[in-house]
Amino acid sequence: DGGITQSPKYLFRKEGQNVTLSCEQNLNHDAMYWYRQDPGQGLRLIYYSQIVNDFQKGDIAEGYSVSREKKESFPLTVTSAQKNPTAFYLCASSSSQGLQETQYFGPGTRLLVL
Amino acid sequence: AQSVTQLDSQVPVFEEAPVELRCNYSSSVSVYLFWYVQYPNQGLQLLLKYLSGSTLVESINGFEAEFNKSQTSFHLRKPSVHISDTAEYFCAVRVYGGATNKLIFGTGTLLAVQP
């Protein structure tokens, strides 16, 4: 089955620690996205990538980093500079950045701070 | 700046009753509109979308939404809800700006269907 997988489902971070969230897709999509979801705030865009080896900051990129070395993979690192990392993180992909393209979402990773 | 407003954070409703979830957007240019549904601890699933053509769009599970350009609205409706419709619903707008076409989400509406 084609789709988007995110791992782990739950992730715990200690103070000062960097953690990496995995996102893999087998939909052959060019564009991938990372969103952060907080209660009552909807989804906010962290980073997005339109093509391999290229990515851009979204609305709340501070304290996060990404890489896009392979088309199917778009890992997100939450660095120690992110002072309030507790949230639900959602990865998405679309076949292109076209206006009519639908974004498909993974099941999410919940990050908690110890 | 473009934005999406979902006025109701929660909508409680009894099973088999009709429901409307409101969504308004602000944009000075043409937009594409989406409704996503999120079940507890899961990702978002596309429910329906308006791209062009008929202003009334339908989903496979009985939801429908109508694009109203004059009122800049895209309200979601269902004539008779089921317990299984309990979820959070997000309205989203696709706009074009610079080098990217961003998807802007509303804050979500929790639909709570009671027996």
Side-chain angles (χ1 to χ4, degrees), chain A residues 22 29-30 36-37 41 44-45 49 54 57 65-66 70 81-82 85 100 103 111 114:
Chain A
S22 170
H29 284 171
D30 287 316
R36 170 179 171 141
Q37 185 179 18
Q41 295 192 47
R44 293 180 290 169
L45 183 65
S49 169
D54 182 65
K57 293 181 179 180
S65 66
V66 294
K70 299 185 296 182
Q82 173 49 245
Q100 301 190 15
Q103 289 187 19
L111 178 59
L114 295 176

Side-chain angles (χ1 to χ4, degrees), chain A residues 37 59 97 101-103 106, chain B residues 38 49 94 100-102:
Chain A
Q37 185 179 18
D59 299 318
Q97 277 272 299
E101 294 300 326
T102 296
Q103 289 187 19
Chain B
Q38 184 180 35
K49 60 184 177 182
R94 197 79 187 260
T100 180
N101 302 325
K102 291 177 59 175

Side-chain angles (χ1 to χ4, degrees), chain A residues 55-73:
Chain A
F55 49 84
Q56 286 81 40
K57 293 181 179 180
D59 299 318
I60 55 165
E62 185 175 354
Y64 300 97
S65 66
V66 294
S67 63
R68 187 85 187 276
E69 297 177 0
K70 299 185 296 182
K71 186 176 185 178
E72 59 270 24
S73 178

